[in-house]
Amino acid sequence: MNHRTTLLAAALLGFAGVSLGAFGAHALKPFLVQAGRFDTFELATRYQFYHALAMLGVGILQLTYPGKKLRHAALFLLLGVLLFSGSLYMLCFFQPGIFGPITPVGGILLITGWVFVFLAVYTRDGQTR
């Protein structure tokens, strides 16, 4: 993902995070509380929003540290949010089924994204500083 795509994805994740958070806190709250899933929904929204902000940072860093590592970081962060937060959202409305095992995969992708951020800055994408 180039810096423009990363920034656009971050903006969409942030927009969706705020929208879903507001919808969950108001319109869906009675259902989520009754289902015992309000905390799960809140966690999904929180991680989505944190990583939207992180992707904004990655998009800006891509201007200073061009190279593959930050492109990989952006991609892993995006996929991680989609799987981690997405599976948690699904768990709020459906039986665990396949959604439960997807959540840790999303978490691993998020961690991998952060590792790529570290490596990109530490090595300046190939040149140790």
Side-chain angles (χ1 to χ4, degrees):
M1 296 174 64
N2 64 29
H3 78 279
R4 183 172 186 274
T5 306
T6 301
L7 293 171
L8 289 170
L12 288 173
L13 283 177
F15 168 81
V18 171
S19 300
L20 287 168
F23 192 60
H26 300 288
L28 295 176
K29 187 172 183 176
F31 169 80
L32 293 169
V33 168
Q34 182 181 5
R37 293 294 189 176
F38 186 75
D39 290 343
T40 303
F41 195 89
E42 189 176 68
L43 180 67
T45 305
R46 187 174 37 227
Y47 268 73
Q48 179 176 340
F49 195 67
Y50 290 160
H51 287 88
L53 293 174
M55 285 186 64
L56 279 175
V58 169
I60 293 167
L61 280 173
Q62 285 176 310
L63 297 172
T64 305
Y65 299 97
K68 292 181 182 180
K69 288 183 181 75
L70 285 175
R71 285 183 289 198
H72 293 322
L75 182 61
F76 279 106
L77 290 173
L78 177 61
L79 293 174
V81 168
L82 293 175
L83 292 180
F84 183 84
S85 293
S87 65
L88 290 178
Y89 291 133
M90 293 296 111
L91 283 170
C92 291
F93 302 103
F94 304 103
Q95 294 298 320
I98 65 166
F99 301 115
I102 292 174
T103 307
V105 173
I108 290 168
L109 293 175
L110 291 172
I111 292 166
T112 304
W114 284 105
V115 168
F116 272 109
V117 171
F118 174 83
L119 292 173
V121 174
Y122 181 75
T123 65
R124 281 188 82 40
D125 210 27
Q127 299 174 347
T128 305
R129 291 276 177 196

